[in-house]
Amino acid sequence: MDHLVLQVVLLYTALCFCPLQSQDNSMAPPTFLNVSKNLVLQQLLLEWDVNDEAYNSEKQMIFNIQINQTGANNVVWNKNYTTALNKSSRPIQWSWAAKEPMECMSYAVRVRSLVISENVLVSESWSDWTKSKTVKGMDTEDSKSYVFPSDKVVEEGSSIPFCCIGKKGERISSLYFGTQKYSAGTGHQRMVFTVKNVRLTGAGGLGVICEGSNSFGTLVFVTRPVGEPKDLTCETEDMVTLNCAWQPGSTDNLVGKRSTEFILSDMSNGKVYCHQQPSRNRCSFRMGTQTAYNLRLEARNKLGKKHAYLNFDVAHRVHPAPPFDLSVSERYATAIGLYWKMKHKLELLCQIECRHPDGKVDLHSSVSYSTTSHRTVIGLQPYTDYTFRVRCGANRHFWKWSEWSELRTTQTKESAPSGHLDVWRSISRGLDSCRVTVFWKSFPGFRANGKIKTYEIFWEVLGGRPVSQEVPASDSSTVLFLDNCSCNISVLAKNSVGSSYPSVIAISGASENDRTWEINSNIPKEDTANNTETGVYISWKPQSQFKGYVVDWCNHPRVQPCDLQWKKFGQNESSALITSDAFVPGVQYSFRVYGSHGSTASLLEKKAKYLKELEPTNFPELHVDTVNSRLLTLTWDYDHLNESLPGFIRGYSVFVKDKHGNCTLEGLEKVVIQDGSVICKYTVEDPAKKTLTVKHPGLNKKYSLEVLAFSTSPPNITNNLFKGTMPHIKEVPIPLDGPLSTGDHWPQRNTAVLDQNQGFFDPGSNLVELSAKSHQGPVGLNVIPQGLVQNCCCPKIPHPTVTPIKVLHPKTLMALSDFTPNDVLVEEPWSCEEKHYYYNQGLRAELPAVETFAFQNLTYFTDGSNCYHSVPTQGAARRKSKMALTSYKPLQHSTPLSNCIDLNYVSQMDSSFPGLTQGDQTAPVDSSKWLDYKPQQALGSESSSPDTSEETIDIL
């Protein structure tokens, strides 16, 4: 009975307590909450626990964490933290980083929990909160003022909160970060200011000042995160001390305890070898017996740390000290002995550098086992300066070379010259002598091997005895005067030890004469194709009988001596680019190509070349030979073969412009220039042709003429043509009708414009027009140079009167009294050739040049066939004139007229005559054909009165 009652009681108790136990297991509230501060990391550290059953079941739990700022009653954090319970991580830990300095204020923390089973909430309600735990800040201190963070290193570009805490009763109004001010508005005892994107500070940091009733502050230091060290290397020069060096991974702007630290340690044994500041990026320590190292270099500052690693065997890291006391022990003509010392006794491979005068470098090797070494460098050239230096490295397990030793320069001894001189000659022949200029220079294979004292020249004329001559070392040529050009010439160089092999050149009696460099029309004139800025391209036709070729030229062809140069080429070469710093554009150079065989040379070709052709700057001398309505004949003078020209003359451009700006001439190209006017252009492509005849120039026209020579291409048409009054520009008038033949060249300057209806004389011009009229129009025209007319004629020229007369029977001798002034009979169109012959018969032997004439009375008449004649009187022809000479030339009376446009002169006497008779008939005078005319005489004649003496003239 009692036993039964006991069982009932136990069963009831179990039924009553099971729901309660189940409820407790589902809650698992947090216990033993502990809260602390980590001021270095600026964190709150939380730690709590739950009951054993929760750990045994390894349940997943959610913890709700709430953090309040005390005093302000402000919840700054209220979030959940989920974790799986595990005995290995007991008790539970969690940290929180504040946005504001942890010292600035006090915090109260509490936690509650919720159990999760297979991702399902076991209970729908949280456990009870733990009791709040409070961590006090400096805001509870009333006796002192604070600013946080204080004396802190922060990262560049970050945002930094600053907390100012005044002592009791103090109010904070603003904060200064350097010179930048942050205002707080209404003052409080505690204020927080955030400065964004802070910049690097100097080594002394930047001041932070809290301003209120009183001012107080601190310093802040802004820097970069530390960088990983670079180029960590370790080596030894004596197998005793190990030297390590590196480069910082970042630039440090701070100093002292705030700067970056470097710690070098051995990971294999934990030894720390160095603890260095960034100013010393190296570390040295004695090795002892250890040869293998596993080093770690740590770089760290207040913001973090980085590492670099290096594993090596020290026997593979030998870097010897540089050699010293380098000296010369022996000197020979082709070898030098060297001696040097080493700081440590090691097995080393040493390298000797030998630098030649031309910059070429030779390397020689030597193995050293002691602290002293010696090496003889061979294969050198005599009498040559060489510069030596030495470096060494480990002979086994080579790591790197040492630094170079100091430089040592020395000179080898002299020896006799080696090789041959490059010899050439220039020949000038006389009637019974020969002048040979011998030139020499160094061949590429020639070496003086010392200081040249003299050059010795030997020559042997055919059939004569050898002759020698010594020339100073400063000369590179000499002149030989020989009776016979057939000779052998040799040249050798001599120094204090000996002489070179002779260089021989042979001259035969049939050699060419090199006396002159003149360029003539027979020498090919080549263009500048394939030339460069400093080189002239030359080609020649190869000939199989020659073993080589020689090209010579003058660097300065316009001066003497011309600086003769030459260059030799092989048998298979047929072109070359001749370069010289002396070549300039616009200068003509003559090149001669010789074929060589042994010591003889034969001239093959001569060529005229330019480095660059330029256009000529001088102008052709223009003349107008014929001007009438049917023909306009131009000629010009120009020395197109002159070698001083800046380019080969390839032709001429003739430009013709009339006063209306049109081009109507036949056979000429029309060109429109910039101002819209039209110019006639004609290109003459033969430089030897210097004449142009234009047909049908028209009536009553005035043309401006210009001729330009060109080298590479015809000149461009510009508005500058016909500008000014240059001597090479002509203005040519075309008469209304009738031929105009001056029989001479026109003047060199501008000409006067001739009126289309009457003749006149313009004192500012160079031409005078004389014309005669009939009832049918003008019948005569002559143009006389201004200088001649001004000295011989009156200022005004009247029109002559034309009177018809009868021509007598041929060969009838007419007395002077048979004529009256100004009477001219126009009848029977005889040929110009016949009349010219008879009119001048008996006069042609006595007539002087026009330059000596003193003209007085002139008569112009026509025979009806457009032939105009004037014949001077014998007395006038013999009278000397004081006027200046001109370029005018008269017709030559010894030859018949070539055409109907030539002019002759007939003396007009003062006596009157009624007419000319032919047979027994008398021709009446037609008064309608008279023109007013007044006798004229030359201004410079001996008498001012007209000469009325009678003269006999043969007339047909």
Side-chain angles (χ1 to χ4, degrees):
M1 182 70 178
D2 293 336
H3 180 68
L4 181 61
V5 172
L6 180 59
Q7 288 180 342
V8 171
V9 172
L10 293 174
L11 178 60
Y12 178 78
T13 302
L15 292 173
C16 292
F17 281 94
C18 278
L20 180 60
Q21 182 66 34
S22 175
Q23 182 180 4
D24 292 339
N25 289 338
S26 64
M27 295 302 293
T31 58
F32 305 112
L33 176 63
N34 183 34
V35 181
S36 61
K37 286 182 179 180
N38 186 334
L39 296 180
V40 175
L41 300 178
Q42 288 288 299
Q43 291 179 346
L44 279 179
L45 303 179
L46 279 66
E47 186 178 277
W48 67 90
D49 202 358
V50 294
N51 54 38
D52 295 339
E53 289 79 3
Y55 280 106
N56 293 334
S57 62
E58 296 185 349
K59 295 181 182 294
Q60 191 173 13
M61 298 189 66
I62 300 175
F63 296 95
N64 181 219
I65 303 170
Q66 187 180 85
I67 302 175
N68 294 339
Q69 288 181 344
T70 61
N73 195 22
N74 181 24
V75 177
V76 295
W77 181 269
N78 187 7
K79 293 186 179 180
N80 296 333
Y81 168 65
T82 302
T83 183
L85 298 180
N86 191 307
K87 290 182 179 181
S88 62
S89 59
R90 188 175 185 178
I92 303 168
Q93 294 179 341
W94 183 80
S95 61
W96 174 75
K99 294 183 179 179
E100 301 170 354
M102 296 297 298
E103 302 92 337
C104 190
M105 56 192 66
S106 302
Y107 293 95
V109 182
R110 60 179 183 171
V111 183
R112 60 181 179 176
S113 64
L114 193 63
V115 179
I116 301 174
S117 178
E118 297 180 357
N119 297 325
V120 178
L121 293 174
V122 176
S123 174
E124 296 182 357
S125 60
W126 291 95
S127 69
D128 294 332
W129 289 104
T130 62
K131 185 178 179 180
S132 294
K133 294 290 184 177
T134 301
V135 179
K136 293 184 178 181
M138 301 304 294
D139 57 338
T140 58
E141 296 287 337
D142 294 335
S143 60
K144 190 176 180 181
S145 299
Y146 300 95
V147 56
F148 298 103
S150 177
D151 195 21
K152 187 175 182 180
V153 177
V154 299
E155 184 177 352
E156 177 190 23
S158 61
S159 296
I160 310 299
F162 291 94
C163 177
C164 297
I165 302 174
K167 59 185 177 181
K168 187 174 181 180
E170 190 171 22
R171 294 290 181 265
I172 308 301
S173 61
S174 61
L175 175 137
Y176 281 92
F177 185 78
T179 57
Q180 189 173 0
K181 181 178 180 180
Y182 296 85
S183 299
T186 59
H188 296 278
Q189 183 181 359
R190 181 185 64 193
M191 296 297 298
V192 176
F193 303 88
T194 300
V195 179
K196 298 180 180 180
N197 192 24
V198 293
R199 298 182 180 181
L200 288 176
T201 63
L206 191 67
V208 179
I209 305 298
C210 297
E211 193 174 66
S213 304
N214 296 300
S215 297
F216 54 94
T218 186
L219 292 174
V220 65
F221 301 86
V222 183
T223 188
R224 299 184 180 94
V226 67
E228 181 180 339
K230 300 177 182 179
D231 304 327
L232 174 61
T233 180
C234 297
E235 59 191 23
T236 179
E237 68 175 34
D238 55 5
M239 291 298 292
V240 176
T241 302
L242 190 64
N243 304 307
C244 297
W246 60 87
Q247 293 295 328
S250 59
T251 303
D252 200 346
N253 62 309
L254 303 181
V255 296
K257 64 180 182 180
R258 302 179 187 88
S259 63
T260 303
E261 297 177 309
F262 294 94
I263 302 170
L264 182 65
S265 61
D266 193 337
M267 297 179 63
S268 60
N269 55 26
K271 284 186 179 180
V272 175
Y273 299 114
C274 301
H275 194 156
Q276 302 284 16
Q277 296 298 319
S279 59
R280 292 182 54 84
N281 300 327
R282 60 183 65 253
C283 172
S284 298
F285 58 92
R286 297 181 68 84
M287 295 183 296
T289 59
Q290 184 179 350
T291 59
Y293 290 87
N294 184 13
L295 300 180
R296 182 182 71 176
L297 178 64
E298 179 180 279
R300 66 184 181 189
N301 65 6
K302 299 298 183 181
L303 301 180
K305 55 187 176 181
K306 293 290 180 64
H307 299 92
Y309 303 90
L310 181 64
N311 299 307
F312 61 92
D313 186 334
V314 72
H316 295 222
R317 293 291 186 273
V318 178
H319 185 198
F324 61 97
D325 285 349
L326 177 63
S327 60
V328 176
S329 57
E330 300 96 7
R331 285 194 316 120
Y332 307 97
T334 58
I336 293 291
L338 298 175
Y339 174 87
W340 67 91
K341 296 180 181 179
M342 297 300 299
K343 186 177 180 179
H344 306 286
K345 185 178 181 180
L346 298 170
E347 183 181 349
L348 300 175
L349 173 66
C350 294
Q351 189 178 73
I352 301 97
E353 179 188 85
C354 174
R355 185 174 296 274
H356 296 245
D358 60 358
K360 178 185 175 183
V361 174
D362 295 332
L363 297 176
H364 307 266
S365 299
S366 175
V367 177
S368 172
Y369 298 92
S370 64
T371 57
T372 61
S373 298
H374 178 272
R375 176 73 158 84
T376 299
V377 179
I378 61 175
L380 306 180
Q381 295 292 338
Y383 199 67
T384 303
D385 290 334
Y386 293 95
T387 300
F388 299 94
R389 61 179 181 173
V390 182
R391 63 181 179 179
C392 299
N395 191 35
R396 299 182 184 181
H397 311 299
F398 180 84
W399 165 239
K400 62 173 65 174
W401 291 109
S402 70
E403 299 298 321
W404 287 104
S405 68
E406 69 275 14
L407 296 172
R408 182 67 62 191
T409 300
T410 187
Q411 186 182 75
T412 53
K413 292 185 177 181
E414 287 190 49
S415 68
S418 58
H420 296 78
L421 291 170
D422 186 1
V423 179
W424 190 235
R425 84 293 182 278
S426 179
I427 307 169
S428 297
R429 297 178 183 274
L431 294 177
D432 54 357
S433 64
C434 186
R435 182 178 183 270
V436 178
T437 305
V438 183
F439 303 89
W440 58 86
K441 61 184 178 181
S442 296
F443 250 138
F446 174 81
R447 291 193 61 86
N449 296 335
K451 186 176 181 180
I452 297 298
K453 301 293 185 180
T454 60
Y455 293 98
E456 193 163 9
I457 294 90
F458 295 86
W459 67 94
E460 182 178 2
V461 179
L462 183 63
R465 297 179 59 185
V467 183
S468 66
Q469 173 186 337
E470 283 197 349
V471 178
S474 59
D475 292 351
S476 59
S477 65
T478 189
V479 179
L480 306 179
F481 295 93
L482 309 176
D483 295 335
N484 190 343
C485 279
S486 297
C487 64
N488 291 331
I489 302 174
S490 61
V491 183
L492 53 84
K494 300 175 68 176
N495 63 13
S496 59
V497 177
S499 60
S500 66
Y501 293 107
S503 299
V504 181
I505 187 166
I507 302 175
S508 66
S511 296
E512 77 292 340
N513 191 332
D514 298 342
R515 183 176 184 179
T516 60
W517 284 92
E518 284 80 9
I519 306 301
N520 55 61
S521 58
N522 296 325
I523 300 179
K525 300 171 180 60
E526 300 186 353
D527 57 25
T528 58
N530 301 319
N531 285 6
T532 64
E533 290 185 359
T534 58
V536 176
Y537 178 79
I538 297 292
S539 63
W540 58 88
K541 184 178 179 180
Q543 299 183 26
S544 59
Q545 68 268 29
F546 297 111
K547 300 300 182 182
Y549 301 93
V550 182
V551 177
D552 69 359
W553 70 95
C554 276
N555 270 341
H556 305 285
R558 297 181 182 177
V559 298
Q560 289 297 331
C562 69
D563 188 16
L564 179 69
Q565 301 292 320
W566 71 97
K567 192 172 183 180
K568 296 183 178 180
F569 301 93
Q571 183 180 18
N572 296 325
E573 295 181 88
S574 59
S575 63
L577 185 67
I578 307 298
T579 59
S580 173
D581 293 335
F583 288 162
V584 294
V587 174
Q588 190 179 98
Y589 299 94
S590 177
F591 295 87
R592 298 182 295 196
V593 182
Y594 297 81
S596 62
H597 190 284
S599 57
T600 62
S602 301
L603 180 63
L604 302 181
E605 301 178 26
K606 288 185 179 181
K607 297 174 182 293
K609 295 276 291 190
Y610 286 87
L611 178 68
K612 180 181 179 181
E613 292 188 67
L614 304 178
E615 294 299 330
T617 57
N618 58 334
F619 300 93
E621 185 177 339
L622 179 59
H623 312 288
V624 180
D625 287 348
T626 302
V627 180
N628 58 47
S629 62
R630 293 177 298 281
L631 293 176
L632 174 61
T633 302
L634 310 176
T635 61
W636 54 90
D637 296 330
Y638 198 76
D639 186 5
H640 66 281
L641 297 178
N642 192 334
E643 64 183 76
S644 64
L645 291 171
F648 296 124
I649 301 302
R650 292 178 171 81
Y652 310 93
S653 290
V654 182
F655 302 99
V656 182
K657 179 182 180 182
D658 71 4
K659 62 182 179 180
H660 301 295
N662 298 319
C663 176
T664 58
L665 300 178
E666 297 180 8
L668 273 68
E669 176 187 358
K670 295 181 180 180
V671 180
V672 180
I673 61 176
Q674 297 174 358
D675 62 2
S677 60
V678 180
I679 289 180
C680 293
K681 176 185 177 183
Y682 187 80
T683 301
V684 180
E685 296 183 350
D686 181 3
K689 181 180 179 182
K690 301 169 186 176
T691 181
L692 174 65
T693 299
V694 180
K695 296 181 179 180
H696 309 297
L699 296 174
N700 193 22
K701 297 286 188 177
K702 173 188 172 184
Y703 294 104
S704 296
L705 309 174
E706 186 168 3
V707 179
L708 301 178
F710 63 85
S711 174
T712 57
S713 60
N716 293 325
I717 306 299
T718 67
N719 287 330
N720 294 326
L721 284 173
F722 309 111
K723 293 295 179 69
T725 58
M726 298 301 292
H728 60 278
I729 301 175
K730 297 294 182 190
E731 289 188 355
V732 179
I734 306 300
L736 186 63
D737 194 10
L740 171 62
S741 176
T742 65
D744 72 304
H745 298 312
W746 282 54
Q748 296 306 302
R749 292 187 175 86
N750 296 359
T751 64
V753 179
L754 298 184
D755 190 273
Q756 58 193 8
N757 297 321
Q758 63 181 3
F760 72 94
F761 166 54
D762 183 356
S765 71
N766 292 318
L767 295 182
V768 171
E769 174 189 352
L770 302 178
S771 63
K773 283 190 176 180
S774 70
H775 68 282
Q776 297 175 344
V779 297
L781 178 65
N782 191 20
V783 178
I784 304 173
Q786 172 193 353
L788 186 61
V789 176
Q790 283 183 331
N791 293 332
C792 300
C793 301
C794 294
K796 183 176 182 181
I797 303 176
H799 301 285
T801 301
V802 179
T803 304
I805 63 174
K806 292 285 186 178
V807 177
L808 302 178
H809 185 273
K811 297 186 179 181
T812 300
L813 182 61
M814 298 176 66
L816 197 59
S817 59
D818 295 332
F819 293 89
T820 58
N822 302 322
D823 289 352
V824 179
L825 175 64
V826 181
E827 197 174 273
E828 293 191 15
W830 297 341
S831 68
C832 298
E833 290 78 8
E834 292 175 327
K835 292 186 177 182
H836 179 269
Y837 175 78
Y838 287 106
Y839 287 168
N840 292 286
Q841 185 177 9
L843 296 177
R844 59 177 179 269
E846 293 82 14
L847 288 177
V850 172
E851 284 84 345
T852 63
F853 281 9
F855 295 101
Q856 49 181 14
N857 299 320
L858 305 175
T859 294
Y860 306 84
F861 66 94
T862 178
D863 56 9
S865 59
N866 291 327
C867 296
Y868 299 84
H869 307 273
S870 64
V871 180
T873 66
Q874 295 180 1
R878 300 178 189 277
R879 186 173 294 117
K880 303 297 182 179
S881 173
K882 297 181 181 179
M883 52 191 177
L885 297 180
T886 70
S887 60
Y888 181 88
K889 291 183 176 59
L891 293 173
Q892 299 299 321
H893 298 283
S894 59
T895 57
L897 287 175
S898 59
N899 51 53
C900 292
I901 60 174
D902 295 323
L903 295 175
N904 294 319
Y905 298 89
V906 175
S907 175
Q908 177 180 285
M909 308 307 297
D910 230 1
S911 60
S912 62
F913 55 92
L916 288 175
T917 60
Q918 183 175 6
D920 297 329
Q921 299 178 1
T922 301
V925 177
D926 186 355
S927 60
S928 64
K929 298 180 180 180
W930 281 87
L931 295 176
D932 293 335
Y933 178 77
K934 294 181 180 180
Q936 302 178 28
Q937 62 185 22
L939 297 178
S941 62
E942 296 177 359
S943 175
S944 60
S945 60
D947 186 357
T948 57
S949 60
E950 297 184 358
E951 296 177 288
T952 302
I953 304 177
D954 293 329
I955 301 178
L956 274 180

